[in-house]
Each structure stands twice: as structure tokens, then as C-alpha cells.
């Protein structure tokens, strides 16, 4: 992998969510359990080490064994990832058993998704870790997750929209580079993002607006909201998405919103 490619992957992770197959490497030091930020793959996690530094991407799980509304509300990005792992495990179990999240965990999930650091940390784990497959069934996410996302249009509408674009674009980029493992990871993230979006779209006007704005920007058309259209036009340019990537992004969004908008 070239250094530029690795750096681009890292920036994508830090900006929103991991775009490939995640891998959390753990170790124990000083009586506390640490986990590295979920990486795009086992290979890439090794290559990212020099870029992250010795302490980059680490956070302690020693005080995160339980989740509370207060912890979720005050979590920074790294702490939100550890909480996301815990809540992801509980969501997966409850989804399989067709049960709602217990009240305490539900309050924590809503609190975590109510602010940008919390939502990004939650998505960087739950949308990428293979262990959480059962939390994202093809028929739609659980009512608990749906309720938590819908409760906070800000920041979830924009994060889900951008994540759909980034994972979609990276599927094409990885396949063009012959990186099937990375492409599979991006497809996993894309599928889970689509599952969340399809479950909440009818109840989130802001998400519909964000998706329409990105669709217009990716298609080279004029958007209904000038400021939002400009924001997404800059987003596509900033991440260097070419014509083919913009086409696949537009198609995925058009398919996603068909019958709803």
C-alpha cells in the first residue's frame, strides 16, 4: 500500500467511520484494558501504526464496562467508540431475541447519538465490526436503534448521508485497486448504512433533504437548498471523487430514496 493511500484511509476513519474491514487489537497495561480504534483491516492496522503513533487511537475500557446516559452525553470520540462496542453488543443480542433495549441502555444510546462525537464513535464501531451483523438484518434495524437515530436528526442525518457516499465510493476504488478484502469491508459498511437509512428515512425529513442535496451534487444538478448543495459539492471535491465514483454515489442514493421521496 502506498503511504498516500494509507493516509487517505486514516483520514476517512477519523472523519467519519472506518471504510473497510475493522480490526480491534487489544492489550493490557497497568491493569487497564486498551483497544485500538477499529481499523480498516488487519493488514492496514499494522501499516497505520507509524501514522497513529505509539498512543494514537487507544482508549481505556477500564471505566467503560457499563454505559450510562451521563457517560454517553459527555463522551468524546474515543470514549464513544468504547461505548459503541458495548451498545453494539447489546443491540445485537436484543435484535436477535426480538427484544427492545433495556431502558438504561436505550437512554444511553439516545444520548450517544445526540452529539457529533458520540454518533461518529458509535458508527465507527457498529457499522464496521463483523460481530454486529445480526444488529442490521436485511428487513431493517431494530425499533430501538431506529428510535435513537430519529430522535436526533442532527447529527445523524448528515453522518449517515456522508457515510453512504464514502463507503460507496470506496467500494469502487478498492475494486479498481484489486483490494477485494477492503472492498468487502466497504460493502459491509455500505449495507449497514443503507439498512439504517431505509429504516428511518420516512420519519426523518432532514435525512431526506441531505440525501437529495448529495444526489444533486453528485449528479451535477442544481440543488433545492443552495447552501447544502454547495456543502456537498465541496465534500465530493475534497475527497477527490471522480466521475465514476460520483455516478455510483448518485445511483445508490437514487435507489435508496426511490418510493420514499
Amino acid at each position: 500500500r502506498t503511504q498516500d493511500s494509507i493516509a487517505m484511509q486514516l483520514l476517512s476513519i477519523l472523519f467519519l467511520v472506518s471504510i473497510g474491514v475493522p480490526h480491534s487489537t487489544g492489550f493490557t497495561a497497568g491493569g487497564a484494558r486498551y483497544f485500538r480504534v477499529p481499523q480498516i483491516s488487519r493488514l492496514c492496522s499494522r501499516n497505520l501504526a507509524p501514522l497513529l503513533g505509539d498512543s494514537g487511537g487507544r482508549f481505556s475500557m477500564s471505566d467503560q464496562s457499563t454505559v450510562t446516559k451521563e457517560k454517553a452525553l459527555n463522551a468524546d470520540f474515543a470514549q464513544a467508540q468504547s461505548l459503541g462496542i458495548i451498545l453494539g453488543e447489546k443491540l445485537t443480542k436484543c435484535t436477535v431475541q426480538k427484544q427492545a433495549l433495556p431502558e438504561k441502555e436505550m437512554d444511553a444510546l439516545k444520548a450517544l447519538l445526540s452529539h457529533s462525537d458520540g454518533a461518529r464513535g458509535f458508527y465507527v464501531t457498529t457499522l464496521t465490526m463483523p460481530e454486529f451483523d445480526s444488529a442490521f438484518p436485511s428487513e431493517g434495524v431494530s425499533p430501538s436503534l431506529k428510535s435513537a437515530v430519529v430522535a436526533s436528526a442532527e447529527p445523524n442525518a448528515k453522518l449517515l448521508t456522508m457515510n453512504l457516499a464514502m463507503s460507496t465510493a470506496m467500494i469502487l476504488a478498492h475494486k479498481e485497486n484489486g483490494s477485494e478484502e477492503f472492498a468487502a469491508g466497504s460493502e459491509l459498511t455500505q449495507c449497514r448504512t443503507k439498512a439504517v437509512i431505509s429504516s428511518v428515512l420516512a420519519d426523518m425529513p432532514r435525512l431526506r433533504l441531505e440525501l437529495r442535496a448529495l444526489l444533486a451534487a453528485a449528479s451535477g444538478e442544481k440543488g433545492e437548498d443552495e447552501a447544502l448543495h454547495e456543502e456537498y459539492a465541496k465534500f465530493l471535491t475534497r475527497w477527490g471523487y471522480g466521475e465514476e465514483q460520483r455516478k455510483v454515489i448518485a445511483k445508490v442514493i437514487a435507489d435508496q430514496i426511490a418510493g420514499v421521496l
Side-chain angles (χ1 to χ4, degrees), residues 54-97:
D54 290 340
S55 62
R58 292 198 308 238
F59 51 90
S60 174
M61 291 282 284
S62 60
D63 62 346
Q64 301 292 342
S65 58
T66 60
V67 293
T68 65
K69 181 179 179 179
E70 183 179 5
K71 283 183 180 180
L73 281 173
N74 296 309
D76 60 23
F77 180 49
Q79 292 166 341
Q81 291 173 71
S82 63
L83 294 176
I85 292 173
I86 297 169
L87 288 170
E89 292 174 346
K90 293 182 181 295
L91 264 175
T92 300
K93 181 179 179 179
C94 288
T95 301
V96 170
Q97 297 176 345

Side-chain angles (χ1 to χ4, degrees), residues 1 5-7 9-10 13 18-26 35-54 56-58 181-182:
R1 310 268 185 264
S5 175
I6 296 170
Q9 302 281 14
L10 176 58
I13 296 169
S18 172
I19 53 177
V21 180
H23 179 57
S24 296
T25 56
F35 288 86
R36 291 192 179 279
V37 172
Q39 306 296 351
I40 57 177
S41 74
R42 289 173 173 81
L43 292 175
C44 197
S45 65
R46 291 198 297 268
N47 291 330
L48 283 171
L51 299 175
L52 288 170
D54 290 340
R58 292 198 308 238
E181 181 186 10
F182 287 177

Side-chain angles (χ1 to χ4, degrees), residues 42-244:
R42 289 173 173 81
L43 292 175
C44 197
S45 65
R46 291 198 297 268
N47 291 330
L48 283 171
L51 299 175
L52 288 170
D54 290 340
S55 62
R58 292 198 308 238
F59 51 90
S60 174
M61 291 282 284
S62 60
D63 62 346
Q64 301 292 342
S65 58
T66 60
V67 293
T68 65
K69 181 179 179 179
E70 183 179 5
K71 283 183 180 180
L73 281 173
N74 296 309
D76 60 23
F77 180 49
Q79 292 166 341
Q81 291 173 71
S82 63
L83 294 176
I85 292 173
I86 297 169
L87 288 170
E89 292 174 346
K90 293 182 181 295
L91 264 175
T92 300
K93 181 179 179 179
C94 288
T95 301
V96 170
Q97 297 176 345
K98 299 187 183 301
Q99 297 176 347
L101 273 179
E103 183 177 358
K104 184 183 74 173
E105 283 77 12
M106 187 66 203
D107 288 345
L109 179 59
K110 285 185 175 180
L112 196 64
L113 292 180
S114 70
H115 60 100
S116 180
D117 278 349
R120 289 188 304 118
F122 176 78
Y123 292 136
V124 83
T125 54
T126 58
L127 294 183
T128 63
M129 296 180 69
E131 293 85 350
F132 300 148
D133 272 344
S134 296
F136 299 89
S138 58
E139 62 268 23
V141 300
S142 70
S144 295
L145 179 54
K146 175 181 177 180
S147 176
V149 173
V150 171
S152 297
E154 175 64 37
N156 294 288
K158 191 175 298 295
L159 289 177
L160 288 169
T161 299
M162 289 186 173
N163 188 45
L164 180 61
M166 296 176 77
S167 57
T168 297
M170 291 311 299
I171 292 172
L172 179 62
H174 288 318
K175 287 184 176 180
E176 289 178 344
N177 290 332
S179 303
E180 292 300 323
E181 181 186 10
F182 287 177
S186 294
E187 287 174 347
L188 180 149
T189 300
Q190 183 205 53
C191 287
R192 291 184 182 179
T193 304
K194 289 167 67 175
V196 176
I197 290 175
S198 64
S199 298
V200 304
L201 190 58
D203 299 310
M204 290 185 70
R206 182 66 194 188
L207 178 56
R208 299 196 294 270
L209 180 63
E210 298 276 349
L211 288 169
R212 289 197 300 268
L214 178 55
L215 175 58
S219 302
E221 301 174 355
K222 184 177 181 180
E224 59 188 280
D225 184 308
E226 185 175 347
L228 201 55
H229 179 274
E230 182 178 355
E231 178 182 351
Y232 279 112
K234 290 180 178 179
F235 164 78
L236 294 168
T237 300
R238 181 169 65 251
W239 288 101
Y241 295 146
E243 183 178 355
E244 289 304 311

